[in-house]
Amino acid sequence: MKLPGAALIIFVLLMAQGVPAYAGEDQERPKIGLALSGGGARGGAHVGVLKALEELNVPIDYIAGTSMGAIIGGIYAAGYSADEIEQVLREMDWTAAMSDRPPRREQTMRKKDLDAQFLIPYRIGFNKGGVQLPLGMIEGQHLDQVLHRILLPAQEVSDFDQLPIPFRAVATDLVTGEEVVLSGGSLTDALRASMSVPGAFAPVQLDGRKLVDGGMANNLPISVVRAMGADIVIAVDISTPLLSGEQLTSVVKVAEQLTGFLTRKNTEEQIASLGSDDILLIPELEGVGAADFENADEIVQKGLESAMSRRQDLVSLSTPQTLNRAERAPVLGQPLPVYLVQFITIKNGSVLDDELIRSQLGLEPGKPLDIPELEKAVDRVYGLDVFESVTYNLVRNEDGEQGVEISALPRSWGPNYMQFGLEFSDDFSGNNDFKIGAAYTRNALNSLGGDLRIVAAFGREDELTVDFYQPLDKGARWFVEPQAFIRREQFNVWEDDSLIAKLDISGFGASMGFGRNFGTTDLIRLDYVYFRGNADLLIGVPDFPLDDEVRIGELVFEYRRDSLDNLWFPTKGMFHRLDLRFARDTLGAAFNYEQALAAGTFSFSSGKNTVLLSYEAGYSFDDAAPVERWFELGGFGRLSGLVPDQLSGRHMGLLDLAYLRRLNNIDLFPAYAGITLEAGNVWNYADDISFSGSRKSGSIFVGVETPLGPVYLAWGYSDSSDSTLYFYLGNPFRRKRF
């Protein structure tokens, strides 16, 4: 969301020394209440109604809202004008607000490692012998941050009667189905609870109750605003009408209709309670869906037109002395007063040590609060992958000191998870392969956040891996990672663009890693790798001596920097990796050799256009590196005109220039089209390295990021007139593990 700097208005101004919002008005006039219904993005019409009420000088004494009506009404009650709310709607990044996942840059290096595996990035809980699912598709992590940012002017108001306009939010008790009228506490929490559509959003836990969208109990809260003291009610109904028989064409539509039954009945009951002096506004929103947030301007205009169609009735309620809210000092865009953090309180329901959470925050008592940095810090805590939600509140203690309270609620469906994975590729020439598997993860094993992971897979490669990752300090900087595995993988041997042999290498191994994280973008680590296995010749005869026994014993030093915003289709950030491999017979290796590998990607974007510059170089310091340690090229993005791994040798170099263009605005399935230009080669001997002899290749492709992983359709062409058509589901750039 883009806000020009949401203001933190101090409590004294909000309270206005107890002066009523319309001081100086005739106190004998009837009190006017505004009831705003739920309806998702259709709630933009509420803003248009507010614009009309401001223009006509109609005073509002009370506001009650449900769901999106609570969002708009609560923000208005907190002091924003209708124009300011319209600006918020127009500039809101709804994709980010409706996503829980922190920006990739703010995720831990461990999480980035796991996401690069073949597994689908969605998990289910597996606890107490049964499957557990999240209570909502969206936990509301970022939506909470957006609302906090907008409602900073009301951070210290705990009684909604003390807002510039008294306010109520309506929610539903998920256990009893009863209407819950929220009149105090955190305004952000109240709004979140009121709009938590069951199934879509996780319930909000307040005062021991699980609260969800108020539409199931009272979607148009006329009775609520009447109970607040309203003599005249202006009710705005933007709820979605029931579908006709002709519109019930799918299971989704049937489910939508059943949901409509829940809200339509109580809405009609509320409308029936209106008197002759009350005003009912039903904006003309045919064809506008509950998720059409991108059409905010049009929806606001519909609300304005609806109110102006009742202009004469509204003018009769106007008060000359009423100060038009558009003429008041704006809330939006005010400079942020200095908020000095004097203490930090952590409410932590998990087994993690409080100091581990504190280390991720980066907050220091005695320093001014930076809201954007606080939000990034909260994302880092959420990125520990333990919590259902991590929220913050600005609070005062008994001594009047200002502080930050962090609430970290552990996942109700953890800490044991199952995850499934699939990769598939086909070159439409009879060559295809796949990999299918599953993983079990047990995280938050101890106060420092250790996790155990077991991965099993078969197909292109078979594996059974047991991995244990254990941070060593409360800052989660130093770590150890022991691993044991059984693995089988195939290697193809080519000569002059002809496949001459296939090898199968299988066996068991183990490794021990020790390293240090530097924030969320850098790490260094040192691993000892041990492997014992066999190399079986499946077909053909390789052009080098083949040792049937494979023995690996190595020390591997790695430095990595990863600030890419997306693993598959990055638009900003960079990636760099340097590996130094040292093998000796004293470490258990069959041969003594040293190798270095450097790889990286730079990304540059403007609008929907992105340019990626990638490099990769591998060098063996002698000629003893065995075949399982040779470098490989070929396949999409790695000399695309050649089949995967068509070139192999002890040395390798590759340059890749790619151009991407975003094709759509569908955030669940972002699609791209692009081209690549590539140059590179492999060499068996250092004396043969010559960039003048590099192979040239290129590709055109389309790619889509899906819930199952990336999908690519690409056509590659090489300077030897070879061409290949590729289809990939999953990571097309993954290298072999041996």
Side-chain angles (χ1 to χ4, degrees), residues 344-349 357-358 361 363 374 377-378 381 389-395 403-409:
I344 302 162
T345 301
I346 296 176
K347 298 171 68 175
N348 171 24
I357 296 175
R358 194 181 301 273
L361 294 173
L363 295 176
L374 175 59
V378 168
V381 177
S389 66
V390 182
T391 60
Y392 72 88
N393 280 301
L394 307 185
V395 296
V404 177
E405 179 183 81
I406 302 294
S407 298
L409 179 69

Side-chain angles (χ1 to χ4, degrees), residues 51-59 307-308 310-312 314-315 317-319 324:
K51 288 166 71 75
L53 297 179
E54 289 181 353
E55 181 178 333
L56 300 175
N57 282 332
V58 177
M308 286 306 186
R310 301 289 298 274
R311 182 186 185 99
Q312 294 304 316
L314 293 173
V315 166
L317 301 177
S318 66
T319 303
N324 189 315

Side-chain angles (χ1 to χ4, degrees), residues 5-9 331 333-337:
L8 178 60
I9 307 300
V331 176
Q334 289 293 308
L336 184 67

Side-chain angles (χ1 to χ4, degrees), residues 193-211:
S194 182
M195 58 80 62
S196 291
V197 178
F201 289 92
V204 174
Q205 298 192 31
L206 290 178
D207 300 325
R209 295 181 295 191
K210 287 184 171 65
L211 302 183

Side-chain angles (χ1 to χ4, degrees), residues 148-229:
H148 262 96
R149 200 183 316 158
I150 295 171
L151 295 171
L152 281 173
Q155 274 289 317
E156 298 191 53
V157 177
S158 59
D159 180 355
F160 298 166
D161 283 336
Q162 300 302 318
L163 291 167
I165 300 176
F167 171 73
R168 299 290 185 270
V170 177
T172 302
D173 189 313
L174 185 59
V175 176
T176 66
E178 296 176 347
E179 173 187 7
V180 178
V181 179
L182 300 170
S183 60
S186 164
L187 182 57
T188 298
D189 290 345
L191 302 189
R192 275 272 293 106
S194 182
M195 58 80 62
S196 291
V197 178
F201 289 92
V204 174
Q205 298 192 31
L206 290 178
D207 300 325
R209 295 181 295 191
K210 287 184 171 65
L211 302 183
V212 294
D213 193 296
M216 294 188 297
N218 190 348
N219 195 48
L220 182 59
I222 294 169
S223 58
V224 175
V225 77
R226 190 96 68 192
M228 295 174 71

Side-chain angles (χ1 to χ4, degrees), residues 224-238:
V224 175
V225 77
R226 190 96 68 192
M228 295 174 71
D231 301 306
I232 296 176
V233 175
I234 301 173
V236 187
D237 179 18
I238 51 92

Side-chain angles (χ1 to χ4, degrees), residues 201-379:
F201 289 92
V204 174
Q205 298 192 31
L206 290 178
D207 300 325
R209 295 181 295 191
K210 287 184 171 65
L211 302 183
V212 294
D213 193 296
M216 294 188 297
N218 190 348
N219 195 48
L220 182 59
I222 294 169
S223 58
V224 175
V225 77
R226 190 96 68 192
M228 295 174 71
D231 301 306
I232 296 176
V233 175
I234 301 173
V236 187
D237 179 18
I238 51 92
S239 56
T240 305
L242 295 175
L243 301 174
S244 66
E246 292 76 15
Q247 292 173 309
L248 296 172
T249 57
S250 68
V251 173
V252 174
K253 293 295 184 181
V254 171
E256 183 181 335
Q257 184 82 329
L258 293 175
T259 303
F261 289 150
L262 295 174
T263 60
R264 197 65 229 167
K265 182 178 179 181
N266 66 62
T267 299
E268 296 292 347
E269 290 173 350
Q270 290 291 311
I271 291 175
S273 72
L274 292 171
S276 59
D277 293 332
D278 300 323
I279 297 174
L280 173 64
L281 301 176
I282 305 178
E284 177 54 55
L285 297 171
E286 184 177 357
V288 178
D292 291 339
F293 291 103
E294 293 182 358
N295 298 319
D297 290 342
E298 176 186 342
I299 298 171
V300 169
Q301 182 63 29
K302 295 287 187 182
L304 178 62
E305 293 170 357
S306 174
M308 286 306 186
S309 71
R310 301 289 298 274
R311 182 186 185 99
Q312 294 304 316
D313 295 325
L314 293 173
V315 166
S316 68
L317 301 177
S318 66
T319 303
Q321 293 85 6
T322 301
L323 178 63
N324 189 315
R325 292 175 66 84
E327 298 173 0
R328 293 173 178 267
V331 176
L332 199 62
Q334 289 293 308
L336 184 67
V338 175
Y339 186 93
L340 197 64
V341 178
Q342 295 169 290
F343 66 93
I344 302 162
T345 301
I346 296 176
K347 298 171 68 175
N348 171 24
S350 75
V351 301
L352 297 188
D353 194 292
D354 286 356
E355 292 305 311
L356 174 59
I357 296 175
R358 194 181 301 273
S359 72
Q360 302 298 310
L361 294 173
L363 295 176
E364 295 184 28
K367 291 191 175 181
L369 180 65
D370 185 322
I371 293 295
E373 288 302 317
L374 175 59
E375 290 178 351
K376 291 181 181 179
V378 168
D379 272 348

